[in-house]
Amino acid sequence: MTGEKNQDQNKRIEELEQELSKLKLELENSRFQEEQEREKRLFYQMIAEFAFAWELWFEPNGKIKYCSPSSSDLTGYTANQIITSPGIAALLVYDTDKEKYNNFLTGALNQTLVNQTLEFRVLTRTKQLRWFMMNVRGVYDKIGKYLGIRASVLDISRLKQAMGHISELERTKEFDNRNKQRLQTELEMKDRELVSFLLQLSQKNELLTKAVHLLQSGDAAKSKKSTSLVQQLKDLLEANAVQPVDWSMVENQVEKIHPGFLDRLQKRHSKVSVNDKKLCSYIRLGLSSKEIAGLLNITSKSVEISRVRLRKKLGINAKIRLVNYLEQL
């Protein structure tokens, strides 16, 4: 009887030892899993808390469940101050942007947003105005249950400032282009005015020269009675027949319309004379040989001869037109 009792006790002891070993093994496994979970939590906590951006987790009702410590760097408020505050809109968002922010957050929580990015302004704890950009996305558990939204917020104040500088540069460039266009239009008008003036002067000189030549013919002076009047008219026309061109005025206008033209001509061809410069200027303005002749009170043939001499002096190839050469000068 005693032997059977001892056997039962030994058996019971073995069973208890087996159960104890099993419990120890389960305890070790549980501790190992807890350690792994703790390390995972620490890992993800380190990622969240040392993220460059300001990370937020909003519950479906809009309450802030998590706020990363980087909020202090961006806003001056600690994570705990933001979590316990009435809301980011009331605490931080600039008054003008509050409605826009609230509509965006409501749409994000209701999962009705098309554009999940918002740019808005905030007033930091030190009352500095900054531009923030918020990106949001939904948060779900393993079985697909909706847990709210995660928001990532970046300070884009410098980017906005840079964009402002770029816009300012573009506006300045546009103003410069308009100013250049206006100046170009003014130069073209001055060019037309100068050419028109020179043409009128050329035509007037040509007409007066013809009149003098007619009066000098014998037909106009045959009648003795009209001899005195004809002579007076002839003297008057001869005195005013040719109106000389004010070369300094033309030179100044050419410099305004084609800046540096005469200087470049002189540097490239140091042997050109004043008359050569005049001829080059008239050709550069687009005047014909006949029109130039009227201005200089010479014949068109004389102008053509002067052009030939000028070509030789400038050393221009026969295949190149004189006017084209001067335009490229």
Side-chain angles (χ1 to χ4, degrees):
M1 188 72 178
T2 303
E4 291 180 358
K5 186 176 180 181
N6 289 335
Q7 288 179 355
D8 291 340
Q9 289 178 349
N10 291 335
K11 185 177 181 180
R12 180 59 180 164
I13 290 172
E14 289 178 0
E15 290 177 351
L16 290 173
E17 287 177 348
Q18 290 178 356
E19 289 181 4
L20 179 61
S21 298
K22 185 177 180 180
L23 289 173
K24 286 182 178 180
L25 181 61
E26 290 178 354
L27 179 61
E28 289 179 0
N29 289 336
S30 177
R31 287 175 177 175
F32 179 74
Q33 290 177 358
E34 286 181 0
E35 181 65 20
Q36 282 189 323
E37 290 296 328
R38 189 185 70 82
E39 289 180 356
K40 285 183 179 179
R41 286 196 299 271
L42 181 61
F43 174 75
Y44 290 117
Q45 183 179 357
M46 293 287 287
I47 291 176
E49 292 186 355
F50 287 90
F52 179 76
W54 173 22
E55 303 295 330
L56 292 159
W57 182 356
F58 293 89
E59 294 182 344
N61 61 5
K63 184 180 178 181
I64 300 175
K65 186 173 184 178
Y66 173 80
C67 174
S68 67
S70 53
S71 62
S72 179
D73 297 330
L74 270 66
T75 68
Y77 291 98
T78 65
N80 188 58
Q81 287 175 321
I82 289 176
I83 291 174
T84 57
S85 70
I88 291 177
L91 183 66
L92 287 168
V93 180
Y94 190 58
D95 287 342
T96 310
D97 293 348
K98 282 184 179 180
E99 183 179 357
K100 178 173 66 173
Y101 172 84
N102 288 328
N103 291 337
F104 176 82
L105 184 61
T106 301
L109 292 170
N110 294 336
Q111 299 177 293
T112 58
L113 284 182
V114 176
N115 182 7
Q116 295 183 324
T117 300
L118 174 70
E119 293 182 358
F120 61 100
R121 290 166 293 179
V122 303
L123 277 176
T124 66
R125 191 173 186 179
T126 56
K127 302 307 177 184
Q128 293 180 338
L129 185 64
R130 293 184 180 177
W131 273 99
F132 281 4
M133 179 175 69
M134 176 182 283
N135 293 286
V136 298
R137 63 180 301 176
V139 179
Y140 304 88
D141 63 12
K142 292 181 180 180
I143 61 174
K145 181 181 177 182
Y146 176 55
L147 301 178
I149 59 171
R150 175 182 172 179
S152 183
V153 184
L154 290 171
D155 186 341
I156 59 170
S157 301
R158 289 185 178 180
L159 176 61
K160 284 289 186 180
Q161 185 178 10
M163 293 299 293
H165 286 318
I166 292 173
S167 298
E168 182 64 27
L169 288 174
E170 289 177 347
R171 286 193 294 270
T172 303
K173 184 178 180 181
E174 182 180 358
F175 174 78
D176 290 342
N177 290 336
R178 289 181 179 178
N179 196 36
K180 287 179 181 178
Q181 186 176 3
R182 179 180 62 81
L183 292 175
Q184 183 63 33
T185 302
E186 291 180 358
L187 287 176
E188 290 175 356
M189 289 180 62
K190 288 182 180 294
D191 189 10
R192 289 194 295 268
E193 290 174 359
L194 178 59
V195 171
S196 177
F197 167 75
L198 294 175
L199 287 176
Q200 291 177 8
L201 185 58
S202 174
Q203 292 169 359
K204 175 192 172 186
N205 289 343
E206 184 181 0
L207 180 61
L208 291 174
T209 301
K210 287 182 178 180
V212 171
H213 289 164
L214 287 175
L215 290 173
Q216 286 175 344
S217 66
D219 294 339
K222 282 182 180 180
S223 174
K224 293 182 179 180
K225 295 181 180 180
S226 60
T227 301
S228 177
L229 292 176
V230 170
Q231 185 61 43
Q232 290 179 15
L233 181 58
K234 179 182 175 182
D235 294 340
L236 181 62
L237 288 173
E238 286 179 344
N240 298 276
V242 177
Q243 181 177 348
V245 179
D246 184 356
W247 167 242
S248 61
M249 181 274 293
V250 176
E251 188 177 22
N252 290 334
Q253 291 299 317
V254 169
E255 178 62 26
K256 290 179 181 178
I257 299 169
H258 306 293
F261 169 72
L262 293 174
D263 288 339
R264 291 191 296 272
L265 177 66
Q266 183 69 52
K267 287 180 181 179
R268 186 171 295 186
H269 306 284
S270 57
K271 295 183 179 180
V272 292
S273 63
V274 176
N275 289 333
D276 293 331
K277 288 183 180 180
K278 292 180 181 180
L279 182 58
C280 288
S281 297
Y282 294 142
I283 295 173
R284 184 66 180 86
L285 292 171
L287 299 181
S288 66
S289 295
K290 182 180 179 182
E291 292 161 348
I292 296 172
L295 291 173
L296 301 178
N297 193 31
I298 58 178
T299 64
S300 298
K301 185 176 181 181
S302 298
V303 175
E304 291 297 334
I305 294 173
S306 298
R307 291 173 72 115
V308 172
R309 290 174 180 170
L310 180 62
R311 289 180 65 91
K312 290 181 179 179
K313 185 177 289 189
L314 300 181
I316 301 174
N317 190 293
K319 295 181 180 180
I320 301 175
R321 295 183 62 197
L322 179 58
V323 63
N324 291 342
Y325 177 79
L326 295 176
E327 285 176 353
Q328 296 174 3
L329 191 63

